[in-house]
Amino acid sequence: MIQLLDHTGQLTAHPDYTPRITHLDADALRRMHRDMVLARTFDTEATSLQRQGELALFAPALGQEAAQVGSAWALRPQDYVFPSYREHAVVQARGVDPANILRIFRGIDHGGWDPADHNVHLYTLVIGSHTLHATGYAMGLQRDGLVGSGDPDRDAAVVTYFGDGATSQGDTNEALVFAAVNNAPVVLFCQNNQWAISEPTTRQSRVPIVERGRGFGVPSVRVDGNDVLACYAVTLEALERARTGGGPTFVEAYTYRMGAHTTSDDPTRYRSAAEEEHWRRRDPIDRFTTFLRSEGLLTEEHTDALAAEAEALAVRLREQVRAMDAPPTSSMFDDVYATPHSDVERERAWFARYEASFADAAADGSGATASEGAAR
């Protein structure tokens, strides 16, 4: 398992991956730390908002900040991301407003942002299905000549994120087949947080998850998912390989889901307090903070400013989420296809008549039911 920072925050040397982080100066390291801290602030505040009834559901990413921020920092603007539903730090690092992430969890939007604005696809709730979309998109880049041209501002790659549970799904295995045989420029980034809801990885695979990639002939690497520097270095290498025509890479980031699977889950029913405490002592933010302080890169001034920024984010999230209203129901017909489609327009027109029927019923005092309105 690749590791550049041990669990005590001490820097360790690796002949292949240490050279990939030497260009990160003090400012870059502090900004990386900032992204991790703000991601956790978002996570904590979103969980609180759900408990207060402001969100229908939320999927915490507590403990997975290093895997997400480290890998996201390796991306170039032209690269494309296909997340599942827990990649909050990745999405924020790509420039999506954190408040917009919560629109789907409030139940008022199918997504929350325009994928074209950030090269980030919308969240996917069907486990593993988006890995096929990512692989297909990568094959499209390949066929459009956007891979292996030698132009760093043009060549692109794809990263798709999923959990250990998704590796048990057929879609993910099919994506590995297509990625391998087509030499697709895609990084399949598995955050192995060790629990697929209440099922441990030991009930999903008899070998480490990384071996699943190798079984398809895809170069695979296992990295300490609580080490932000190692995650950055490993993803950087995988993306460079993809952009230059070297094909796919399977990354297993070995981390831990410190919170619940979602806010409707109770992890105390299936895992021990001792296990949770073991991983709390390996908190990715604490580890990186210790390293930065030991290097003299994180002063009290920096931490105070970051704390103020985090509090401002929490306040903004509370205000914006509580102010979110549901869009017009007719908006469900927007953005279904890239160009106008007769079937969608016919359904839009029917739905407009259906909604109008209730207003008509109220006006004439008939009190029509929904089924009667539909019949009209």
Side-chain angles (χ1 to χ4, degrees), residues 135 138-143 147-148 156 175-188 216-219 241-249:
T135 303
M139 292 166 61
L141 292 177
Q142 188 182 57
R143 284 152 176 75
V147 177
L176 281 161
V177 171
F178 274 90
V181 300
N182 289 282
N183 209 42
V186 59
V187 178
L188 298 116
F216 290 92
V218 174
R241 178 185 300 120
R243 296 189 201 105
T244 56
T249 302

Side-chain angles (χ1 to χ4, degrees), residues 124-143:
T124 301
L125 304 184
V126 179
I127 306 298
S129 65
H130 62 295
T131 58
L132 280 170
H133 308 155
T135 303
Y137 192 96
M139 292 166 61
L141 292 177
Q142 188 182 57
R143 284 152 176 75

Side-chain angles (χ1 to χ4, degrees), residues 8 28 73 79 107 142 158 164 203 224 256 274 280 295 300 303 309 322 338 342 360-361:
T8 67
W73 265 64
D79 295 329
Q142 188 182 57
V158 175
D164 48 284
R203 297 189 63 175
D224 184 342
Y256 190 76
R280 282 194 193 95
E295 296 291 314
E300 186 175 345
T303 54
E309 186 178 4
R322 288 169 178 156
S342 58
D360 295 341

Side-chain angles (χ1 to χ4, degrees), residues 237-317:
E237 178 190 54
L239 284 167
E240 288 174 357
R241 178 185 300 120
R243 296 189 201 105
T244 56
T249 302
F250 184 95
V251 176
E252 179 198 358
Y254 189 73
T255 182
Y256 190 76
R257 192 193 76 216
M258 291 170 65
H261 176 73
T262 69
T263 46
S264 64
D265 173 42
D266 179 8
T268 64
R269 299 183 62 181
Y270 54 80
R271 65 188 192 193
S272 69
E275 176 185 315
E276 292 180 348
E277 180 58 30
H278 171 83
W279 283 98
R280 282 194 193 95
R281 294 195 297 269
R282 286 154 178 77
D283 185 300
I285 296 180
D286 290 348
R287 181 189 302 195
F288 197 40
T289 300
T290 298
F291 164 70
L292 293 177
R293 284 178 174 160
S294 69
E295 296 291 314
L297 301 178
L298 201 61
T299 65
E300 186 175 345
E301 181 182 2
H302 288 123
T303 54
D304 288 347
L306 182 55
E309 186 178 4
E311 177 57 28
L313 172 62
V315 171
R316 182 168 72 85
L317 286 171

Side-chain angles (χ1 to χ4, degrees), residues 156-176:
V158 175
V159 178
T160 181
Y161 293 88
F162 51 93
D164 48 284
T167 65
S168 299
Q169 295 290 331
D171 287 358
T172 303
N173 288 271
E174 291 165 9
L176 281 161

Side-chain angles (χ1 to χ4, degrees), residues 211-223:
E211 298 298 336
R212 292 196 166 181
R214 293 180 180 136
F216 290 92
V218 174
S220 303
V221 59
R222 196 181 210 205
V223 61

